[in-house]
Amino acid sequence: MTEIAAVDAWEVLDSRGHPTVRVQVTAGGETGTFTVPAGASTGDHEAVERRDGGDRYGGLGVRGAVETVRDELAPLVVGCDVTDQTGVDESLADYDGTDDFSAVGANAALGVSGGVAHAASAARDEPLYEYLARDSPGRIPLPMVNVVSGGLHASRGPEIQDFLVVPVGADAYPDALEVVWDVRSAVGDRIAGDGSPLVADEGGFSPDVESVDDAFDLLAAGVRDAGYDLGGDVAFAVDVAAAHFYDAETDRYVLDSVGRSLTRDGMVDLVAQWVDDYPLVSVEDPLTEDDWEGWATLADRIGDEVQVLGDDLLVTNESRLDRAVDADAANAVLVKPNQTGTLTGARRVVEAAKEAGWATVVSARSGETCDATIADFAVALDAGQIKVGSLARSERLAKYNRLLAIDRFHDGEFAGRDALVPRNP
Ligand code: PGA
Ligand code: ZN
């Protein structure tokens, strides 16, 4: 057994310049470091991220979470077997004692969980994707790549958060990246007339388009300009992030950009129309996070054709996933480790989703660093799909580049379009 010898933590800044938690774990003479990401369009039911409030960093400081790691979580895990990830993660959850990590903070807990995984892989002298795999590592995931951003991640554009391209025709991961690069460049050329294109939080363009249709048409034009077959080589995905334009008081989905205020049924019809009009293969958060009825209605309507992907609805939470599986409310789950607070929690959600025949999409947050742990995690668990933002900005490229390294050293297959559900649309 290799004991955890030390755990340290400090505050660093993420891709938005916001403070976040970095944890370093020492075991067997090796160190492992992990840095916690942070969302902007967070779901109401996510594990709780602890921030200091007050004046420092506009209230966003994480000194409290850092001190909790040093003073409370370090003594808890020092002396434990560094390779007992499940045991470490369970002791973090037991010590916290709540079901959403609101006592210690999910950012404190995940920092330790991720640091322990890295220290164990270093102590074992195994790359993380191999160490985290139960048997052998899985496939290189199919990326869905943000090209146009709106919603809370951009300063203008439609309310819909992400317009993504999916290189469904590619047979290998490096080729998939090239296809996406071509499409992104073509879209960039089209909007260059506006001056240098504005880039949003995840490196996607933030062009001066008003409506959702304009954004899809821009992507479609980019695919054609780049010489690809729309639907055959390149398909689309969308993260509607509907919770952020849903108005609970009036029970309406308010799309100010096009002057529309929609009921649940109106929103269901609108999303079904996009599926008819565009080569969409995945629709994320098309309805708000507690509209279980709307989700089930929409999944029944479009779930035989496209992936219906829950992010804010499911928040990487096993009991919400179970409820959604029982209700047939979706057919795929987004997996963000910081929504649940430990790597074991995220692993359990991937395993439960696969058991149900659902697809799994490992995802970054809009606030990231060059930590690339989720790339290894996605391969280790054979998640099949990954979503980490656009092909720009180092915190995004760190993940894409890590997958290029894994592709080079581990002769796993590329998941490709087979990773999408439904399996035979
Ligand atoms: P977030 O966005 O990290 O700001 O939550 C990502 C997403 O909604 O998928
Ligand atoms: Zn989302």
Side-chain angles (χ1 to χ4, degrees), residues 186-206:
V187 169
D189 288 345
R190 283 207 161 237
I191 57 180
D194 301 350
S196 179
L198 277 175
V199 165
D201 281 4
E202 295 192 0
F205 295 128
S206 170

Side-chain angles (χ1 to χ4, degrees), residues 41 161-162 239-241 284-285 311-312 334 336 363 387:
S41 77
Q161 185 169 292
D162 293 347
D239 182 1
V240 183
E284 177 179 338
D285 283 353
D311 172 14
D312 292 347
L334 204 75
K336 293 167 165 170
S363 171
K387 177 189 168 212

Side-chain angles (χ1 to χ4, degrees), residues 148-161:
V148 170
S149 295
L152 295 182
H153 292 171
S155 53
R156 59 181 184 181
E159 289 81 357
I160 280 54
Q161 185 169 292

